[in-house]
Structure formats: C-alpha cells, structure tokens
Amino acid sequence: MKKHLTAIAVLLGSAGMALAEGELQLFNWGDYTNPELIKKFEDETGIKVTITDYDSNDAALAKIEAGGHGFDLVVPSANYVQIYVEKGLVQELDLSKLSNHGNIAPQWMESSYDPGRKFSVPWQWGSTGVAVNKTAYSGDINTSAIFMDPPEELVGKVNVTPEMNDVLSLAIMYEGGEPCTEDTEILKKVRDALLEAKPKWQSMDYGMTEKMAANDVMASVYWNGAIFRARLQNPDVVYGYPKEGYPLWMDQVMLLSDANNTEEAYKFLDFIMVPENAALISSFARYANGITGSEAFMPEDMKDAPEINVPAEFAAAGHFLPTCSPKAQEYYTAIWTELQK
C-alpha cells in the first residue's frame, strides 16, 4: 500500500500538483498577500504555502475551469461566487473545521451571494473608483468623466484597469444604467462612449500603485487600497468616488472542489479569521476586511484614510455588483472585445 501511494504521489507530482501533507496552493490576486501573514502561518503550522498570482476574475475562472491547475484555494470577487458554486468548482465548507467562523462580521455573514458563509471566507473588501494626481488636474475627481470624457488636462494621461466588470459597471452607471443591464439602448451608449474615450487614454494596465506614485500616470480607474498605497509614497495622489455610481466589492477565499490539500486549506481558512491575522491581510494591501475585532490591530494610518472611509456624501453611490445573467455577460464581452481592438 505504501509503495502504491508513493507511486500515485510521484505521478501527480509530475503533473505539477501538490499532494504531499504540509503543502498548500493559494491562487490569489497579484500583490495582494502579505508575506508576513504567510510566514506566520508557515511557522505556526509547518505548512508550506505556494502562491500563484492572477490579475482578473475572468483569468482566474478560466484557469480553474480548464482543470489540472493544482490549486487548493481561490479568491474571487463577490459577483463571481455564485458562478463558482453553480459550476461546481468549489465545495461547501465543513464549518465544524472552522472554529473561528463566528468572527465573520454580521454584515458579511449574511451576504446575498453566500448566505451563512457556507462556501466562502472574507479576505478583503473595498471600492473601484478613480485616482488623480492633483498636480495635473484640480477639478472634480468624484466622477467617471475622468475616464469617460477626460478633461483636457488629463488627455493622454489616463489609465483604465483592464477589469471588464468594474470598468463596464462604472461606464453603465455613468450613462444612467444599472450594472448587468440587458438594455441594449444603454449598452450602445456605453460602447460608443468608451470607444470615443479610448484614444484619450494613456493605457489599459495594472501596477498603478507604482506608476501613480512615480508620476508615470496622472489618473486611473483603480482600486482604493492600491491607490492608498500610492498616496503613502506620493501625497499628490488622491482617490475619487464617482457620484454617478461606483462598484463595491469583497474578495473571499473559496475551497476548490478538486483541491488536493484540503486539511491544510481548512487550517489556512481558520487562520485568516483570527482578528490579528485578518489585520495583517489589511495592513499589507490596505483594504478593509470582514473580521470582527481586527480593528484593534489595524495600522493607525488606515483609521482615517479617505480611501478606506467613504465620505458620507458618496456612500449611497457605492453598489455591490450583481452576478450578471448570461445575456448581460454576452453583451459585456462583446463591448469589451471591441474595446481591446
């Protein structure tokens, strides 16, 4: 039996899949995992963590659907949770193995996309807005006009993050529609406006923490925590909340159906629900988390940061994105494909 199991392990290992006890394969967004968190987990458990990065929800989903990936945990955004569940790509959690499950804050425990948190554990949450370098532009930054109709001072200096759902949702709300709309009149307006705006952009890229901090880009559609990190390096960087509407999101960790290191994965899920450890996640990427009690361990500079604490006047404009219908997703993909040309 021992020889037989060893042979299986060798075969699976040759396929690039981690099966040995004491290993964990985490598939997460790039520049999103605190090395201190991973070191602490490895020191406490003896489990070796390997992190593989991705840069979009669609890229992660495609990789998981293709199979043969060898990952144990993935970190999708809220509007992708039900897609993973419906496709059978993740497994329902055994809550008896998660002693810290009760630490999830009540407002996140009964989320519409995962009631009772039966499939997911919170990682971080935040918003998608617009960042501007105030030395280049001193006008209103709380509007999606920054990228939909760039002011003269920002023409050729705007980046748009290549995350389809965020960008199209911002554009749809700017044009007066609702995210995931199937209204072809609104969608045509969005397509036409984006195609007209694109020549005024500098790029469609990631890495804006570094690029905005270095004055390489003067404005960008991007995520609040990453822009907070840019401002810490360059105080001229400011974050705006589009008054026409902007996406709120939460990323959460889910256990894949074909995970090889299930027990190790449960240990990690329970570990990140300890308040002090959740604060480590936030202190690195600079987003809020969903764990009660983590506030006491958060960095001082996060407690009043405008990127983390939404100004009251713009709070109602933030919307969690729904999971789009197949028809809406088809429309989104068609617009996005045309925008990439």
Side-chain angles (χ1 to χ4, degrees), residues 191-211:
R191 182 200 65 191
D192 292 348
L194 284 169
L195 291 176
E196 184 178 347
K198 186 182 177 183
K200 301 176 183 178
W201 301 343
Q202 175 179 342
S203 56
M204 294 184 71
D205 203 0
Y206 297 102
M208 290 303 113
T209 297
E210 297 77 16
K211 291 176 182 177

Side-chain angles (χ1 to χ4, degrees), residues 113-127:
Y113 53 87
D114 187 13
R117 287 289 172 177
K118 296 179 180 179
F119 288 92
S120 66
V121 167
W123 183 257
Q124 292 181 107
W125 72 275
S127 62

Side-chain angles (χ1 to χ4, degrees), residues 29 56-58 61 75-86 111-114 128 163-167 169 179-180 223 247-252 254 319-325 329 332:
W29 296 82
S56 74
N57 278 300
D58 292 312
L61 179 61
V75 192
S77 299
N79 54 321
Y80 278 72
V81 168
Q82 282 303 312
I83 296 174
Y84 276 87
V85 172
E86 290 169 6
S111 62
S112 60
Y113 53 87
D114 187 13
T128 308
E163 181 67 24
M164 180 178 72
N165 285 279
D166 281 347
V167 173
S169 294
C180 291
W223 300 291
L248 295 173
W249 50 265
M250 172 173 264
D251 294 330
Q252 38 270 304
M254 304 183 80
H319 304 279
F320 275 93
L321 301 183
T323 300
C324 293
S325 68
Q329 197 67 25
Y332 269 35

Side-chain angles (χ1 to χ4, degrees), residues 22-23 26 35 50 59 75 77 86 91 105 114 118 138 143 188 224-225 244 296 303 305 311:
E23 297 183 9
L26 173 63
T50 299
V75 192
S77 299
E86 290 169 6
Q91 54 186 286
D114 187 13
K118 296 179 180 179
S138 59
T143 173
K188 184 180 185 303
N224 62 312
E244 304 87 3
K303 294 179 180 178

Side-chain angles (χ1 to χ4, degrees), residues 37-244:
L37 176 86
I38 299 303
K39 183 179 187 307
K40 183 178 180 183
F41 177 73
E42 291 179 335
D43 289 346
E44 289 185 8
T45 65
I47 296 169
K48 172 63 177 175
V49 180
T50 299
I51 302 170
T52 303
D53 294 346
Y54 56 85
D55 56 20
S56 74
N57 278 300
D58 292 312
L61 179 61
K63 181 75 172 178
I64 298 300
E65 281 194 284
H69 46 75
F71 304 129
D72 302 306
L73 297 169
V74 67
V75 192
S77 299
N79 54 321
Y80 278 72
V81 168
Q82 282 303 312
I83 296 174
Y84 276 87
V85 172
E86 290 169 6
K87 289 178 176 288
L89 299 173
V90 292
Q91 54 186 286
E92 185 170 347
L93 298 174
D94 181 350
L95 300 188
S96 69
K97 296 181 179 180
L98 298 173
S99 61
N100 296 311
H101 195 259
N103 290 339
I104 298 176
Q107 67 266 37
W108 301 117
M109 182 67 81
E110 292 303 324
S111 62
S112 60
Y113 53 87
D114 187 13
R117 287 289 172 177
K118 296 179 180 179
F119 288 92
S120 66
V121 167
W123 183 257
Q124 292 181 107
W125 72 275
S127 62
T128 308
V130 291
V132 173
N133 188 308
K134 60 187 180 183
T135 65
Y137 179 67
S138 59
D140 181 15
I141 66 167
N142 294 295
T143 173
S144 286
I146 294 296
F147 78 100
M148 293 294 291
D149 185 17
E152 184 178 350
E153 300 95 318
L154 293 175
V155 170
K157 302 175 182 179
V158 179
N159 176 74
V160 175
T161 183
E163 181 67 24
M164 180 178 72
N165 285 279
D166 281 347
V167 173
L168 292 187
S169 294
L170 280 164
I172 288 169
M173 288 186 279
Y174 181 75
E175 296 294 343
E178 297 291 330
C180 291
T181 184
E182 296 181 15
D183 185 330
T184 53
E185 185 176 335
I186 287 288
L187 290 166
K188 184 180 185 303
K189 286 177 64 178
V190 167
R191 182 200 65 191
D192 292 348
L194 284 169
L195 291 176
E196 184 178 347
K198 186 182 177 183
K200 301 176 183 178
W201 301 343
Q202 175 179 342
S203 56
M204 294 184 71
D205 203 0
Y206 297 102
M208 290 303 113
T209 297
E210 297 77 16
K211 291 176 182 177
M212 290 209 68
N215 295 322
D216 293 333
V217 174
M218 292 292 108
S220 183
V221 174
Y222 221 57
W223 300 291
N224 62 312
I227 297 306
F228 178 17
R229 294 162 70 183
R231 176 176 62 79
L232 292 176
Q233 300 175 55
N234 183 344
D236 291 326
V237 176
V238 290
Y239 183 76
Y241 297 87
K243 53 182 173 288
E244 304 87 3

